[in-house]
Amino acid sequence: ARVAVASENYIPFSIQSFMNCAQRVCIGAQPHSVTGQARKSDFIVPETDVPFIRRKCMYRDGVKDMKFCLETCGHLHPLKFNNTLHDQFVVIAGIGSAQSEEKAIAVLQGGSLTTCYDNTNKRPGEKCGRGCLHANSVIGYSKEGFIVQNSYGKKWGPFRNGTFLAPNGTICELAILQKAFYPIVLYDYDRANAFYTQWEGVDEGELTFVDESVYGVVDYDRKNWGTAKNKCAFIGSACKGVVELSSGE
């Protein structure tokens, strides 16, 4: 969400690749792990390259083989996979903390927070206690408290949408705020401006449409305005501009 907001360019990330890099399904899918991997490697594989397979990657033909996981770990094979950050012109500059109600609410304006808590050491009637045994995301807030996205499916929880409420002033709220962090995402204007020049009054008839297979143009490149501009920038002289066709194609 933060990368999409900063770049005005939404590309679905491959959670499977993050899981494979970590070689552990649970750890690899946790929000803090995804943030850490992306920051350290500066590499994020798109969902189209490594789709979610809904199972562990460590078995090849029924035999345990950890190398199978690493074969689809993006930052270990940069020539084999696309890096979405190249299409989004962003830098993950670090990790910030949001350990107060005011800070958390302010940071949530730009995307979710990662957090963790102890789901065994909790008070009666509360969903979490202090500690770090279970990782999730804080995705919003209301007058009653913070909204936490759990990892038990879309129909889990009191609201039947995968979330629960950490009410104001409870141990649960204190627990999630104590471990609340977020990636600091910066738009790289220098890199973007080095490739992309805005045109005024483009004549569609003068544009040259490149071969999709040669230049790796995929479905979301055509649908996402931000991606289209950046893809054109990297293609360089072969791309004469970007237009949004009235047909939607």
Side-chain angles (χ1 to χ4, degrees):
R2 295 186 181 280
V3 171
V5 169
S7 65
E8 297 182 345
N9 184 4
Y10 172 69
I11 301 176
F13 297 162
S14 171
I15 292 298
Q16 189 68 47
S17 180
F18 283 118
M19 292 160 54
N20 295 351
C21 291
Q23 299 184 65
R24 292 179 63 187
V25 173
C26 183
I27 294 296
Q30 289 177 355
H32 73 275
S33 175
V34 169
T35 299
Q37 287 190 52
R39 180 176 62 86
K40 292 177 181 178
S41 67
D42 198 31
F43 202 105
I44 299 178
V45 176
E47 172 70 12
T48 51
D49 279 15
V50 185
F52 187 51
I53 60 175
R54 299 181 180 275
R55 61 179 183 272
K56 297 180 180 180
C57 66
M58 60 189 66
Y59 291 90
R60 191 200 307 260
D61 298 327
V63 180
K64 192 169 185 179
D65 182 2
M66 297 304 291
K67 292 181 180 179
F68 187 38
C69 294
L70 299 181
E71 288 177 6
T72 50
C73 173
H75 69 265
L76 294 180
H77 303 280
L79 298 180
K80 184 178 178 181
F81 299 102
N82 292 304
N83 185 356
T84 64
L85 298 181
H86 286 170
D87 278 340
Q88 294 171 308
F89 294 144
V90 298
V91 175
I92 301 175
I95 297 176
S97 63
Q99 297 176 348
S100 69
E101 289 186 3
E102 295 77 11
K103 178 68 172 179
I105 289 174
V107 172
L108 282 169
Q109 308 309 309
S112 61
L113 295 163
T114 68
T115 189
C116 62
Y117 53 83
D118 189 332
N119 55 357
T120 60
N121 180 26
K122 56 188 178 183
R123 288 184 173 181
E126 295 194 20
K127 296 291 185 182
C128 53
R130 292 188 176 184
C132 192
L133 293 179
H134 187 59
N136 280 298
S137 295
V138 182
I139 61 171
Y141 61 94
S142 67
K143 292 181 179 179
E144 290 74 32
F146 288 98
I147 302 169
V148 183
Q149 178 73 54
N150 215 325
S151 56
Y152 300 142
K154 295 181 180 180
K155 296 183 179 181
W156 175 90
F159 307 114
R160 308 300 296 171
N161 63 1
T163 69
F164 70 88
L165 185 72
N168 296 327
T170 62
I171 294 297
C172 186
E173 182 198 42
L174 293 175
I176 66 169
L177 290 178
Q178 187 178 35
K179 299 293 185 179
F181 296 93
Y182 63 98
I184 299 172
V185 180
L186 304 177
Y187 190 70
D188 190 344
Y189 287 96
D190 289 338
R191 182 167 57 168
N193 291 336
F195 290 96
Y196 172 64
T197 301
Q198 184 173 354
W199 289 9
E200 298 293 340
V202 177
D203 181 357
E204 293 185 18
E206 297 179 356
L207 297 178
T208 301
F209 293 91
V210 300
D211 185 274
E212 296 179 358
S213 60
V214 172
Y215 292 99
V217 178
V218 295
D219 187 54
Y220 64 71
D221 294 332
R222 296 188 293 272
K223 294 181 179 179
N224 188 315
W225 185 251
T227 302
K229 290 191 297 183
N230 292 344
K231 179 71 74 172
C232 183
F234 273 100
I235 290 175
S237 61
C239 183
K240 304 302 182 182
V242 176
V243 296
E244 188 173 19
L245 301 182
S246 58
S247 65
E249 296 177 356

